[in-house]
Amino acid sequence: MAESTRPKRTGKGEPSVSQLDQLPDQDPEEVAEWRASLDAAREFGGPHRAAHLLRRLVEHAEQRRLGLPPLLDTPYVNTIPTAAEPDFPGDEALERRITAWNRWNAAAMVTRGNQRGGLGGHMATYASAAWLYEIGFQHFFRGKEADGSGDQLYVQGHAAPGVYARAFLEGRLTEGQLDHFRQEAGGGGLPSYPHPRRLPDFWEFPTVSMGLGPLSAIHQARFNRYLTARGIKDTSASHVWAFLGDGEMDEPESTAALALAAREGLDNLTFVVNCNLQRLDGPVRGNGKIVQELERSFRAAGWNVVKSLWGEAWDDLLARDLDGALVRRLGEVPDGQFQTYAASDAAYIREHLFHASPELRALADTVDDRRLLETVATSRGGHEPRKVYAAYRAAIEHRGAPTVVLVQTVKGWTLGPGFESRNANHQMKKLTGAQFRAMRDLLELPIPDSALSGEQVPYAHPGPDSEEARYLRERRAALGGPAPARRVRFTPLPEPPAKPFETLLKGSGGQEIATTMAFVRLVKDLMRDGATGRRWVPIVPDEARTFGMESLFPTAGIYSPLGQTYDPVDRDQLLHYKESASGQILNEGITEAGSMASLTAAATSYATHGEPVVPFYIFYSMFGWQRTADQMWALADQLGRGFLVGATAGRTTMTGEGLQHADGHSQLIASTNPAAVSYDPAFGYEVAIVVREGLRRMYGASAEHPHGEDVFYYLTVYNEPLAQPPLPADEASVTEGVLRGLYRYREARPPADAGAPRLQLLASGTAVRWTLDAQRLLEEDWGVAADVWSAPSWTELRREALDCDAANLARAAAGGGEAPRVPYVTRALAGAPGPVLAVSDWMRAVPDQIRPWVEQDWTSLGTDGFGLSDSRAAARRHFGVDAESVAVAALAALARRGEVKAETVREAAQRYGVRF
């Protein structure tokens, strides 16, 4: 009988066969000796000693670059021992005083705001993270005065009051501005969180939609490298810093691009995660350890990890922890329990933390209650400037990989026992007078009791000529100016050549092309322009071939810092796949979130780096606004410029794909974003007109907008190949109509019967084709005349009409005077005979946006509901928007007015087989 091939097991239940047995081994006896040595260490020193030896060996192997994978976590102690900390380069005593002033003013600002109007604000986050920011501002964060770029700072949103307080001490903000924290309606106020649109000279990046900051920071660091590789700007001196909360790391976007950052070796990027162990409502990992969890995640992704957990008060205890009992205990206590220790008295700490073993009890007996309480309750790496400085220095000196600094703090530190480590401190918005007095004493600030006797706590400033103020100015001058700061040094791009646009304006003749392909061809031609072509940044989430972009692969190349280290399988084909270190295309893989983050970095390069580029992000229409609308809002908040292109748009143009691909609502979502200029073009020439205008508005200069306009364009284009007509003869009128959102494309032929019924058919995108067919059916079968209008932008029509209404209301409130403004859509349709029937491949709410300003009777057709898998014809008949359905609906609108008989509607429905 053949011997079993199953692994044999030892008496201890462990398999005797190893995966490594299949690899060649030149000296099995040597392996046996190493095993025996480990067994001996375990037997005589215990399992912890054996594990320690293995860790030291793996660490040694890493240092010798032996290619072993790193350990996924390390002991729960600081990465950098106290003895290895670099010399502190600043005046520590002075920096402590500066930080104390900032702590005070941050708390005073939030408290005063709540006393006046209950406007909210957050105190505990900055209180825990103050040194994380101060060390950066004093020694690391580069300003923009040297090269126009500096460092990019993603400030944790809830820490904004502390950054404002520091700017006040620097003289960048006034006391009056601090008193308008969260009071922006009258102008001159400070936004609650980092908001570039509300404070455009101060903030660069909006971060309070948690999770978007880390994702954006990674793609910003990658885009910095892209600019250098493309020869647009040398950004090698720029460093990206992202300040995050440990609770924020639960957001999927926070960790979505960690592998990208490591894969591309982004050592120009540092994450600083403030591990105060608390979310908004309680512990982050009450039953676990968030620091160790994050360390494993980042190390597994290929990041360098620096932990700064314990303050100097722990050094003596750890030095006398000869058998490692304390380190093991710190590693096994869950975060929820450690939070309790931080808010408890010495007796509780002794009983619950140190009575776990005789060794720990003996260790704790060497420390008095005061020292024990100070050590366990507040001594954290994030509260000591030397610890933070050492961690930051290690981060920026590391090469070949991004770094995450995991810093442990106490949430609400220095705000008193009512705040520190309390679950509710995120919702606690003010301090009492007694708490401010205690805080003043703790921070040793020279604020007299008389200043605290009023109803409102005062702001405090040592004076513009004080030692603190001079030090601040000197440090920022040495680092290149103020930070954070946003500076727009705008240089308009040259007007693009006319020829690429003329190709679309002439139409496609007999060739059938979809508007998706029309857009791609236009951009491909614009990328050939010698003046601006290299500034186009094509962004696509691994669907370039779907959108007909494969022709860009060999010419523009796909950006990869590694170049192309392999022979592509299609290398012998004309349109082969090509990666390049200087490639122009950002092919992000299957990630719409990553693509949007790349777009945002490129779309704001005009401000971040003083280098305008023209990004266009092309995506499956359904997977744009529906999936990443939050990032699109952040793009608007960051004053980004560029083109979003929802390709294969509409509910019925994706043959066979089904409801998950059938987009009938993105235009409606886009209409909610004030910065999104949205168009749904029907023809190639409309695409050309819109893109040309978008380039003018965003990248040109005018008297009204000398630095360009802070908008971005959203176009929906279709995958249905059709012959593209030329621009109609009345070029100026049509161009105005396209940009405003409505123009008459084809007037009805004069009917033989002068009294024949007439109506107006309005449509956008691919639906214009259905209305043209319906126009013919109505004329030939029913003697009805219909004018066909193209409505490239329902949203722009509505916004202009709303502006008119607002101006008219203001005029009326002021007592009249000038004549009322009439919306463009009202003027365009004024006097047009018959009812209006609006049709689109979107839900009816999209065209219904303009209904209040149309004087005619109104009906709309759309694709409300879920999509489905079928042919275009079947899907359109299902939704009742094909030509025959439009014709029946048009007859029904006329019947309601008594202009055709009701029997005519029924007859038409039966003839065409239409059922609604």
Side-chain angles (χ1 to χ4, degrees):
M1 186 178 209
E3 187 173 333
S4 172
T5 58
R6 291 186 177 183
K8 296 179 179 178
R9 295 186 175 273
T10 66
K12 296 183 179 180
E14 299 173 348
S16 60
V17 175
S18 165
Q19 179 189 29
L20 299 179
D21 289 342
Q22 60 193 309
L23 304 180
D25 190 344
Q26 298 178 350
D27 193 346
E29 291 185 4
E30 184 180 28
V31 172
E33 292 173 358
W34 278 75
R35 285 174 169 170
S37 296
L38 181 61
D39 289 342
R42 184 181 189 279
E43 181 178 354
F44 294 103
H48 300 301
R49 178 61 182 169
H52 178 74
L53 291 174
L54 284 177
R55 283 186 177 276
R56 296 306 297 261
L57 280 173
V58 171
E59 179 185 62
H60 188 68
E62 286 186 62
Q63 294 171 351
R64 292 293 185 268
R65 301 180 183 275
L66 297 185
L68 282 178
L71 294 171
L72 292 186
D73 65 13
T74 59
Y76 202 58
V77 294
N78 296 347
T79 301
I80 304 169
T82 299
E85 291 172 2
D87 292 336
F88 189 74
D91 185 328
E92 186 174 348
L94 191 54
E95 290 187 24
R96 286 186 180 277
R97 293 210 304 271
I98 290 169
T99 305
W101 291 114
N102 292 340
R103 289 181 182 279
W104 178 272
N105 288 321
M109 179 176 63
V110 176
T111 298
R112 287 166 69 105
N114 276 281
Q115 288 174 333
R116 284 193 307 274
L119 290 170
H122 301 282
M123 306 173 73
T125 295
Y126 176 72
S128 71
W131 278 114
L132 307 186
Y133 291 101
E134 280 304 306
I135 291 300
F137 284 126
Q138 303 287 25
H139 302 287
F140 292 95
F141 303 158
R142 295 175 63 255
K144 291 182 175 292
E145 292 179 358
D147 61 4
S149 295
D151 289 353
Q152 288 79 58
L153 309 181
Y154 289 78
V155 174
Q156 193 177 1
H158 294 137
V163 181
Y164 289 143
R166 187 178 208 279
F168 170 64
L169 210 63
E170 291 179 300
R172 296 176 64 196
L173 296 178
T174 67
E175 186 171 315
Q177 286 176 294
L178 296 191
D179 256 355
H180 281 81
F181 174 59
R182 293 193 169 201
Q183 299 175 65
E184 302 178 81
L190 297 181
S192 51
Y193 304 120
H195 283 302
R197 186 168 286 276
R198 291 300 183 202
L199 202 60
D201 293 332
F202 194 91
W203 297 115
E204 276 198 287
F205 308 105
T207 54
V208 85
S209 186
M210 287 190 282
L212 299 191
L215 179 65
S216 296
I218 289 172
H219 284 270
Q220 181 67 56
R222 198 271 290 266
F223 186 73
N224 290 358
R225 292 281 175 85
Y226 173 91
L227 285 176
T228 301
R230 296 281 304 142
I232 295 174
K233 183 172 186 178
D234 182 0
T235 62
S236 57
S238 290
H239 199 88
V240 178
W241 298 81
F243 288 83
L244 318 168
D246 47 0
E248 180 178 6
M249 299 308 295
D250 286 345
E251 289 283 4
E253 294 89 349
S254 295
T255 55
L258 296 186
L260 167 69
R263 187 168 63 243
E264 300 206 1
L266 298 181
D267 50 23
N268 60 337
L269 170 67
T270 298
F271 276 15
V272 180
V273 183
N274 179 16
C275 299
N276 56 36
L277 313 185
Q278 288 185 243
R279 287 198 193 108
L280 307 186
D281 290 328
V284 180
R285 292 291 182 273
N287 297 307
K289 300 196 74 63
I290 186 60
V291 170
Q292 301 302 85
E293 179 182 322
L294 290 175
E295 181 180 26
R296 288 190 292 271
S297 296
F298 279 93
R299 283 185 177 273
W303 286 54
N304 176 47
V305 177
V306 177
K307 295 194 293 192
S308 184
L309 308 181
W310 309 115
E312 191 174 348
W314 286 89
D315 285 352
D316 182 57
L317 283 175
L318 291 171
R320 290 187 285 112
D321 180 32
L322 301 181
D323 62 355
L326 178 58
V327 173
R328 290 194 297 274
R329 180 64 175 150
L330 293 175
E332 68 188 18
V333 174
D335 286 349
Q337 185 63 46
F338 207 91
Q339 182 185 349
T340 302
Y341 295 150
S344 300
D345 58 24
Y348 183 92
I349 293 171
R350 288 184 186 278
E351 180 181 354
H352 292 87
L353 176 60
F354 286 94
H355 281 200
S357 69
E359 296 85 358
L360 286 174
R361 286 196 295 272
L363 190 61
D365 287 343
T366 65
V367 183
D368 62 29
D369 284 355
R370 184 194 63 79
R371 181 66 171 171
L372 184 67
L373 192 60
E374 174 192 352
T375 301
V376 176
T378 62
S379 183
R380 303 288 188 276
H383 299 324
E384 299 191 9
R386 292 177 178 271
K387 303 291 184 186
V388 177
Y389 179 84
Y392 286 7
R393 178 59 58 189
I396 65 169
E397 291 179 351
H398 186 79
R399 293 293 175 264
T403 294
V404 59
V405 180
L406 303 176
V407 188
Q408 192 156 274
T409 66
V410 173
K411 192 168 185 177
W413 193 60
T414 73
L415 296 180
F419 264 80
E420 292 172 356
S421 292
R422 301 295 175 178
N423 282 336
N425 58 23
H426 185 76
Q427 302 301 326
M428 298 163 70
K429 311 298 185 184
K430 59 185 177 181
L431 294 175
T432 65
Q435 288 172 320
F436 268 113
R437 288 183 178 86
M439 183 180 179
R440 174 204 59 186
D441 296 342
L442 176 66
L443 298 176
E444 299 179 347
L445 289 172
I447 301 172
D449 285 341
S450 59
L452 302 177
S453 60
E455 292 184 3
Q456 285 192 330
V457 62
Y459 297 116
H461 197 296
D465 296 323
S466 64
E467 189 178 12
E468 293 94 329
R470 289 197 304 271
Y471 187 85
L472 282 176
R473 291 194 293 268
E474 291 169 0
R475 291 307 309 143
R476 290 315 312 160
L479 288 167
R486 182 178 179 273
R487 299 288 183 265
V488 178
R489 298 175 176 88
F490 185 75
T491 302
L493 293 182
E495 186 176 344
K499 186 175 181 180
F501 299 99
E502 290 172 352
T503 301
L504 293 188
L505 297 179
K506 292 177 181 177
S508 64
Q511 183 184 14
E512 293 186 341
I513 64 171
T515 49
T516 295
M517 182 55 68
F519 175 84
V520 171
R521 288 185 179 181
L522 173 62
V523 172
K524 182 179 178 182
D525 289 342
L526 289 170
M527 287 171 62
R528 294 193 180 104
D529 176 47
T532 60
R534 71 192 184 104
R535 291 185 179 271
W536 283 84
V537 182
I539 301 169
V540 61
D542 199 39
E543 290 278 10
R545 297 183 192 275
T546 300
F547 309 135
M549 294 174 60
E550 63 268 29
S551 61
L552 294 176
F553 288 169
T555 55
I558 299 165
Y559 172 71
S560 169
L562 300 177
Q564 188 159 288
T565 61
Y566 61 94
D567 291 330
V569 67
D570 56 358
R571 62 189 180 280
D572 57 343
Q573 298 179 17
L574 179 63
L575 303 181
H576 58 275
Y577 199 80
K578 179 185 176 183
E579 298 187 67
S580 169
S582 59
Q584 193 163 359
I585 303 169
L586 291 174
N587 193 332
E588 299 293 0
I590 305 175
T591 167
E592 284 79 13
S595 299
M596 269 304 303
S598 274
L599 174 83
T600 302
T604 53
S605 179
Y606 75 94
T608 307
H609 295 293
E611 293 287 347
V613 297
V614 187
F616 76 91
Y617 165 35
I618 188 168
F619 50 89
Y620 257 113
S621 181
M622 185 67 157
F623 306 137
W625 286 88
Q626 174 167 295
R627 180 167 288 193
T628 58
D630 191 15
Q631 289 177 278
M632 292 166 179
W633 193 267
L635 171 67
D637 201 6
Q638 202 169 322
L639 289 74
R641 304 172 185 178
F643 293 94
L644 297 175
V645 184
T648 61
R651 190 83 81 190
T652 68
T653 60
M654 286 295 292
T655 54
E657 287 288 356
L659 67 89
Q660 288 187 328
H661 287 69
D663 180 16
H665 52 279
S666 286
Q667 278 284 347
L668 188 63
I669 303 174
S671 72
T672 66
N673 191 311
V677 183
S678 304
Y679 285 91
D680 185 33
F683 308 117
Y685 70 78
E686 292 183 358
V687 172
I689 290 170
V690 171
V691 171
R692 183 169 56 191
E693 177 69 359
L695 291 172
R696 184 195 68 80
R697 288 182 64 183
M698 295 185 290
Y699 299 97
S702 65
E704 186 179 1
H705 300 285
H707 298 133
E709 295 186 48
D710 295 322
V711 297
F712 61 90
Y713 273 63
Y714 171 54
L715 282 73
T716 45
V717 291
Y718 298 82
N719 72 326
E720 188 171 8
L722 296 164
Q724 298 296 324
L727 176 67
D730 191 1
E731 180 176 344
S733 176
V734 170
T735 298
E736 180 188 16
V738 168
L739 297 178
R740 284 181 172 270
L742 182 69
Y743 67 98
R744 184 156 50 191
Y745 175 73
R746 182 179 294 170
E747 191 172 0
R749 287 190 293 182
D753 180 1
R758 190 162 182 172
L759 78 158
Q760 310 302 311
L761 298 177
L762 279 58
S764 68
T766 192
V768 173
R769 310 285 186 153
W770 318 334
T771 59
L772 289 170
D773 289 341
Q775 180 190 48
R776 177 183 54 80
L777 293 175
L778 288 166
E779 178 188 346
E780 295 177 356
D781 296 349
W782 311 102
V784 170
D787 296 333
V788 173
W789 300 69
S790 177
S793 183
W794 310 100
T795 300
E796 287 301 291
L797 290 172
R798 175 179 176 80
R799 287 177 177 172
E800 191 268 346
L802 290 172
D803 287 344
C804 289
D805 286 356
N808 292 336
L809 181 59
R811 180 191 61 82
E818 60 190 55
R821 285 174 51 184
V822 180
Y824 173 82
V825 62
T826 305
R827 288 185 281 116
L829 291 170
V836 166
L837 174 60
V839 188
S840 78
D841 206 12
W842 306 95
M843 57 193 301
R844 291 173 57 187
V846 174
D848 283 349
Q849 292 180 89
I850 66 171
R851 182 174 184 173
W853 299 278
V854 175
E855 62 186 22
Q856 292 85 351
D857 292 339
W858 176 272
T859 307
S860 63
L861 297 177
T863 53
D864 291 71
F866 290 108
L868 73 167
S869 299
D870 214 312
S871 66
R872 293 189 182 106
R876 288 164 186 168
R877 176 58 57 90
H878 169 80
F879 285 107
V881 293
D882 62 349
E884 291 79 7
S885 300
V886 172
V888 173
L891 292 171
L894 292 168
R896 286 193 295 271
R897 296 162 55 95
E899 297 181 27
V900 301
K901 296 179 180 179
E903 291 80 4
T904 303
V905 182
R906 183 170 62 253
E907 181 184 347
Q910 290 174 350
R911 177 186 298 190
Y912 300 140
V914 171
R915 297 176 61 187
F916 288 98

